[in-house]
């Protein structure tokens, strides 16, 4: 236990820190880094009932982060450096002549240096009854606990005063707590400080689509209370009254400078303790001010954490003046990014184009809710910008600010794909570009973490450099840099499928086929990496091996039914429920409609089912109908009706054949030369259910006009007057590729034989999640090799490939019909194992355009880099 | 193939503040797969059984998306730690601690689970 040193007796010089917030904690770390904790006594007065925590991530409390997880302080750090922390004890008075601080507890501390890091307080406009029960602010963990308790016990509607960054965050929190949320903003647009009118309009549309109600251009005139004295509404400046059970004020913050004023330190006209470039108060050389309470030498009060961190470093350097370099705080960047799920808004640098003579480059698509603006100097220097709806490029653009980008600004705001040549990643950045502005980490430092400190993953780089541990907005750029650096440094890349298998997918396929391995465990225990044997595998190899076993099932003597025994545990969630998981936990149902041909009776059945279960229906890009919004326990009921009407699984969930699209062809079309619909149906029925490394798509066009877009498919067929042309390796999607012509003027039988061979050769040799297009470009010899193998039988394996396909065709059974016949399997289709009749209450919907859409909890931590993965893949 | 004797009287129980809460028969949990259970206070728990028959329980809500779906993810072992990968955006969570393996700043609550003969 430390005791308070009596006034006048000073064994060691003492630094007293008032305020243990984010900047205060950073200041303590900076003291420790500079060795000052060894030479000084350090005392910290902390007003809040808990030590420093991550205020920036405050809202993530509602996404399940506990106050402990938000903490920035670890006891060991304090103990190791002998820092005395008084939690729940605020500084009350400062006596600058005696150089003492008196705390609320009555403790008196003498100081040699005093550092004020008292932060801000939320500004509450002076409207009548602003302190009524049900009125809150949004600044501390305690505020959030109070808001949560009130919302859960007595509110259904909440209003936030202020449509800035924090106001939107608060409104999202209210929505996440299940309230109908309103935002009241005095300015004519949301986030008035960061975005301009165009950006505000795009942002408003997105926010409203999420179910929040936005009122702009109106002020709050008074709070209306009910007979119980609690909030019942608010009167707005346009005379209207908004009914609400609670009000959260988020109308900006003001520096907490009362303590400083009271002891005669100079403060700015609009508040803030006036300091010089070393963060020393201009009035008293023994007193410093840092963070949101300080009025910096450039005349500004910064309301963001990154400038505060820089000030913390500066003040610590000033205190260590004789030993380390002098730092100066001369201003900082005000870039920001909204941290709410679903809204991408970012602004950086000179977002409003305040620089003289600057130019704008604007891309705006109001329907898509996109708005991007870059501010560029006459000489081409990127000065700043605003991104709404798609902030992908934020990390790179922010780091490029102040320099002339290597590509034209137009190409930086155009949507991805519009100008693929000019996509600019973080690898284009110079080494001194700041990638993480929260912690001021340059690209060079991040590269060094990989090359010198041997970091190989983003979490390691975060630990090593602190980059990415603030607001998190740079994490995506970090990931790209780490990958690029690893590749460049020629790190021996392990070709193994995953941490469990050292073999490639192709090698595993050969093992399974040659040794007739029918179980995943057998393969893992017998052929896995040393450390993985006997374990539970991983999410990468389980579905990949499950798929290999399923493709080869009839030949190796395994069950072809993907939910059989151990097989069930290997399947991705989609295959496990034979439906596609949607973002809110519900599923979509896609019955097979071969060739896109469907009789009216069957259309009516789909319509009736969708109506009876209230499902959202949409015609897909694959010429069939998708029904969205089914809960797990509804799937079997829906499918029993579909199966009874003659439908079967469309495998929209599987890495397997999806659709064979067709054009109407010779039967109706005046140009058609073959019956493309019949051929499409034949092909779809032949290859349905075939499990493969990735999904397979096909199409058949009735003439060279190509209305079925066959050349964008994994295998595409185009009619000629002599028969069929077969194209392979086409792809739509992210990296479109035109298919290559494999063979011409084939008869029906020749066509099918060639496709059989081609598909089985692909399944045998492709990597996990490798479409035929990438496979064709990767395999040595490319198209010529494939032609040699499947047309000219150069490897002598064509008979085997054909047999494998014949076995698949002979053993095909509809997965849904099979599942409906098996009560044990059906028992899995429940939301809760212990409450089979209770539907998941979180899966909820709201109406839109005569149908429904998911009602999403706005609040989640938000998207992190792993989502960049394509379907089913994990970038590890 | 030998069939494991199916002892239906083995129950899966979960430790809550009030005591042990019985969820379901053990045989409802297939090795390598999860199921979701509803708690009396409305929370959801994802329960898992591994190939050695060890049981685990973590909160069912995927903190990255807000959807209650962790029970539907694929499980595995990474560096000796049992985990489940969220079926939505694929982040992995340690089944014993609830910690996210791909983002140390994120975690979900973890529960104690036991097999209990009744
Ligand atoms: C429903 C549908 C969109 C629609 O409303 O029309 C759709 C929806 C999805 N597509 Fe698609 N794609 C749909 C047609 C297409 C098409 C058009 C086509 O098939 O002619 C393409 C371009 C053609 C192609 O694949 O080459 C297409 C290219 C993709 C891609 C990119 C593939 C690539 O190689 O780059 C993905 C991501 C992936 O597979 O990794 C994808 C992934 C997805 C997923 C599975 C994403 C996911 O994991 O949740 C979506 C799930 C649908 C669901 O839950 O039911 N979808 N998708 C279409 C379903 C077709 C069907 O009936 O089966
Ligand atoms: C919901 C929310 C989201 C935010 N998001 C972002 C973001 O995305 N990016 C960003 O850069 N910034 C963000 N901020 C702002 C960021 O949190 C602040 O810039 C940062 O916390 C400032 O640190 P500070 O130490 O100066 O002040 P604070 O963190 O407020 O700490 C000041 C501390 O001093 C204490 N104190 C005050 N007076 C006394 C006294 N007399 N005695 C003892 N203790 C005292 C206070 O109780 C407080 O604990 C956000 C803020 C909030 C509330
Ligand atoms: S591809 Fe040819 S046959 Fe088919 S619809 Fe178009 S024009 Fe007619
Ligand atoms: S920019 Fe905020 S964490 Fe890197």
């Amino acid at each position: 236990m430390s005791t308070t040193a009596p006034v006048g007796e000073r064994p060691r010089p003492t630094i007293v820190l008032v305020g243990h917030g984010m900047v205060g904690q950073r200041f303590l770390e900076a003291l420790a880094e500079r060795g000052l904790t060894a030479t000084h006594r350090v005392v910290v007065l902390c007003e809040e009932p808990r030590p420093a925590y991550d205020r920036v991530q405050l809202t993530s409390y509602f996404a399940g982060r506990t106050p402990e997880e938000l903490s920035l302080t670890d006891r060991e750090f304090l103990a190791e450096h002998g820092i005395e922390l008084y939690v729940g004890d605020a500084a009350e008075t400062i006596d600058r002549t005696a150089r003492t601080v008196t705390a609320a507890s009555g403790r008196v501390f003498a100081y040699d240096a005093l550092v004020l890091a008292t932060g801000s307080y939320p500004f509450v406009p002076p409207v009548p009854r602003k302190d009524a029960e049900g009125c809150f602010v949004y600044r501390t963990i305690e505020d959030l606990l109070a808001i949560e308790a009130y919302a859960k016990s007595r509110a259904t509607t909440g209003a936030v005063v202020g449509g800035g960054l924090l106001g939107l965050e608060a409104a999202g929190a209210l929505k996440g707590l299940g309230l109908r949320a309103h935002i009241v903003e005095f300015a004519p647009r949301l986030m008035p400080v960061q975005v301009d009118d165009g950006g505000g309009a795009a942002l408003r549309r997105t926010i409203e689509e999420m179910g929040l109600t936005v009122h702009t251009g109106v002020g709050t005139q008074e709070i209306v209370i009910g007979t119980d004295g609690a909030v019942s509404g608010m009167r707005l400046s346009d005379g209207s009254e908004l009914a609400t059970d609670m009000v959260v004020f988020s109308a900006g913050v003001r520096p907490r400078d009362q303590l400083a004023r009271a002891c005669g330190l100079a403060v700015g006209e609009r508040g803030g303790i006036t300091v010089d470039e070393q963060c020393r108060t201009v009035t008293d050389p023994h007193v410093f001010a840092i963070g949101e309470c300080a009025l910096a030498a450039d005349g500004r009060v910064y309301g963001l954490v990154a400038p505060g961190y820089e000030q913390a470093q500066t003040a610590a350097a000033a205190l260590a003046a004789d030993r380390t370099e002098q730092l100066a705080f001369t201003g900082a960047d005000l870039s920001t990014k909204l941290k709410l799920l679903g809204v991408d808004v970012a602004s950086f640098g000179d977002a409003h184009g305040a620089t003289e003579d600057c130019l704008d480059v604007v891309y705006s698509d109001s329907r898509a809710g996109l708005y991007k603006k870059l501010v560029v100097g006459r000489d081409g220097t990127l000065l700043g910008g605003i991104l709404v709806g798609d902030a992908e490029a934020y990390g790179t653009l922010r780091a490029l600010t102040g320099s002339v980008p290597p590509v034209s600004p137009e190409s930086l705001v155009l949507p991805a794909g519009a100008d693929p040549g000019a996509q600019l990643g973080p690898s284009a950045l110079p080494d001194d570009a700041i990638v993480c502005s929260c912690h001021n980490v340059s690209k060079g430092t991040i590269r060094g973490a990989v090359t010198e400190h041997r970091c190989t993953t983003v979490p390691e780089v975060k630990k090593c450099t602190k980059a990415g541990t603030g607001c998190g907005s740079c994490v995506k750029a970090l990931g790209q840099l780490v990958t690029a650096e690893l590749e460049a440094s020629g790190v021996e890349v392990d070709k193994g499928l995953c941490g469990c298998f050292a073999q490639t997918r192709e090698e595993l396929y050969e093992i399974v086929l040659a040794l007739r391995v029918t179980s995943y465990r057998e393969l893992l225990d017998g052929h896995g990496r040393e450390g993985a044997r006997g374990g539970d595998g991983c999410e990468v190899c389980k579905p990949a091996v499950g798929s290999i076993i399923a493709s080869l099932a009839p030949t190796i003597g395994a069950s072809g039914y993907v939910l059989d025994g151990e097989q069930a545990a290997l399947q991705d969630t989609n295959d496990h429920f034979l439906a596609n998981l949607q973002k809110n936990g519900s599923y979509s149902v896609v019955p097979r409609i071969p060739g896109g041909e469907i009789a009216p009776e069957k259309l009516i059945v789909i319509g009736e089912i969708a109506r009876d279960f209230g499902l959202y229906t949409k015609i897909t890009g694959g010429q069939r109908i998708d029904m969205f919004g089914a809960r797990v326990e509804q799937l079997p009921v829906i499918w029993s009706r579909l199966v009874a009407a003659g439908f079967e699984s469309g495998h929209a969930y599987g890495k397997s054949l999806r659709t064979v699209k067709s054009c109407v062809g010779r039967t109706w079309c005046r140009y058609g030369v073959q019956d493309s619909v019949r051929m499409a149906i034949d092909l779809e029925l032949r290859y349905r259910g075939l499990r493969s490394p990735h999904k397979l798509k096909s199409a058949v066009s009735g003439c060279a006009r190509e209305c079925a877009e066959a050349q964008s498919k994994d295998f595409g067929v185009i009619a000629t007057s002599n028969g069929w042309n077969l194209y392979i390796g086409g792809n739509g999607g992210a990296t479109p590729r035109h298919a290559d012509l494999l063979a011409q003027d084939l008869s029906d039988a020749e066509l099918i034989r060639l496709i059989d061979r081609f598909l089985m050769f692909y399944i045998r040799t492709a990597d996990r999640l490798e479409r035929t297009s990438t496979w064709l470009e990767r395999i040595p010899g490319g198209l010529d090799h494939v032609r040699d193998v499947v047309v000219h039988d150069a490897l002598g394996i064509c008979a085997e490939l054909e047999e494998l396909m014949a076995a698949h065709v002979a053993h095909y059974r509809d997965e849904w019909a099979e599942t409906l016949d098996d009560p044990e399997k059906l028992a899995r289709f429940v939301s809760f194992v212990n409450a089979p009749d209770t539907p998941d209450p979180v899966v909820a919907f709201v109406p839109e355009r005569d149908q429904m859409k998911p009602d999403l909890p706005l609040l989640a931590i938000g998207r992190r880099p792993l989502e960049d993965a394509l379907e089913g893949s994990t970038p590890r | 193939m030998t069939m494991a004797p199916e002892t239906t009287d083995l129950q899966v129980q979960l430790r809550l503040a009030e005591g042990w809460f019985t969820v379901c028969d053990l045989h409802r949990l297939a090795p390598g797969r999860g199921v979701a259970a509803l708690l009396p206070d409305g929370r959801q728990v994802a329960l898992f059984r591994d190939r050695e028959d060890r049981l685990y329980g973590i909160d069912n809500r995927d903190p990255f998306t807000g959807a209650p779906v962790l029970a539907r993810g694929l499980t595995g072992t990474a560096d000796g730690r049992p985990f489940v990968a969220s079926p939505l955006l694929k982040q992995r969570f340690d089944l014993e601690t609830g910690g996210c393996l791909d983002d140390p700043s994120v975690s979900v609550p973890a529960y104690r689970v036991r097999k209990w003969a009744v």
Side-chain angles (χ1 to χ4, degrees), chain A residues 852-872:
Chain A
M852 61 161 195
K853 68 172 183 182
D855 185 13
L856 290 175
L858 240 185
L859 211 65
I861 294 175
R863 316 215 134 201
R864 297 282 170 108
L866 289 190
E867 75 161 317
D868 303 334
L870 286 184
E871 178 185 336

Side-chain angles (χ1 to χ4, degrees), chain A residues 596-864:
Chain A
E597 182 183 88
I598 183 163
E601 275 314 315
K602 281 191 154 176
L603 269 179
I604 290 168
V605 170
I606 290 186
E608 284 175 346
I609 293 178
R611 186 194 55 209
D612 294 352
F613 291 87
L615 304 175
Y616 167 85
T617 52
K618 178 176 182 303
I619 312 287
T620 72
Q623 296 189 344
R624 50 189 183 171
I625 300 169
D626 203 340
M627 292 175 266
F628 294 82
R631 287 189 309 266
V632 185
E633 69 274 11
Q634 292 177 319
L635 292 172
V637 212
I638 291 170
W639 272 103
S640 59
R641 282 179 59 180
L642 286 169
V643 169
F647 285 104
E648 52 178 41
S649 168
H651 294 103
Y653 47 83
K655 298 290 174 280
S656 54
L657 181 78
R658 295 282 167 91
T659 61
V660 181
K661 303 209 293 190
S662 76
C663 75
V664 63
R666 185 178 64 189
T667 323
W668 294 88
C669 177
R670 61 194 161 135
Y671 295 116
V673 289
Q674 303 288 349
D675 189 350
S676 48
V677 177
R678 201 218 72 228
M679 180 52 82
I681 294 173
D682 286 355
L683 294 178
E684 185 155 346
L685 295 183
R686 184 168 181 82
Y687 303 120
R688 63 188 161 180
L690 177 66
R691 290 300 201 273
S692 50
H694 205 315
K695 58 191 173 193
L696 289 168
K697 296 180 176 184
S698 178
V700 183
S701 283
C703 84
R705 286 169 192 74
E706 247 282 71
C707 297
E709 300 170 310
Q711 289 169 98
S712 67
K713 298 298 172 206
D714 295 280
F715 57 105
V717 179
I718 301 177
T720 68
S721 40
N722 303 320
W724 307 100
N725 285 354
L726 173 59
Y727 293 80
I728 59 166
N731 207 162
T735 320
R737 181 181 190 278
H738 257 90
D740 291 311
L741 181 62
L742 183 72
Q744 275 171 291
D745 293 329
L746 304 163
S747 70
D748 287 10
E750 285 168 337
L751 174 72
I752 286 170
R753 191 163 60 229
L754 260 192
I755 299 176
D756 282 0
R757 295 173 177 180
F758 161 71
L759 288 179
M760 276 301 172
F761 185 49
Y762 159 69
I763 291 174
R764 181 171 204 151
T765 53
D767 275 343
R768 154 184 180 272
L769 296 181
E770 187 175 44
R771 289 286 291 267
T772 56
S773 55
T774 20
W775 167 78
L776 196 58
E777 307 224 317
R778 174 184 62 85
I779 55 165
L783 179 68
D784 290 338
H785 175 64
V786 174
R787 190 180 284 119
D788 281 347
V789 175
V790 304
V791 181
H792 308 302
D793 199 8
L795 297 179
I797 56 170
C798 283
E800 189 187 344
L801 297 176
E802 284 172 37
E803 267 168 42
L804 286 168
M805 189 61 86
H808 163 77
V809 175
H811 288 87
Y812 167 81
R813 275 166 304 171
D814 173 32
E815 286 165 5
W816 262 111
E818 219 163 333
T819 304
L820 292 171
D821 278 346
D822 186 338
E824 193 248 321
K825 302 282 167 345
L826 281 181
R828 294 183 193 157
F829 289 83
V830 291
S831 288
F832 303 110
V833 68
N834 61 337
D837 300 324
T838 309
D840 187 339
V842 183
V843 177
F845 301 92
V846 290
E848 181 177 70
R849 293 189 298 274
D850 299 333
Q851 299 198 65
M852 61 161 195
K853 68 172 183 182
D855 185 13
L856 290 175
L858 240 185
L859 211 65
I861 294 175
R863 316 215 134 201
R864 297 282 170 108

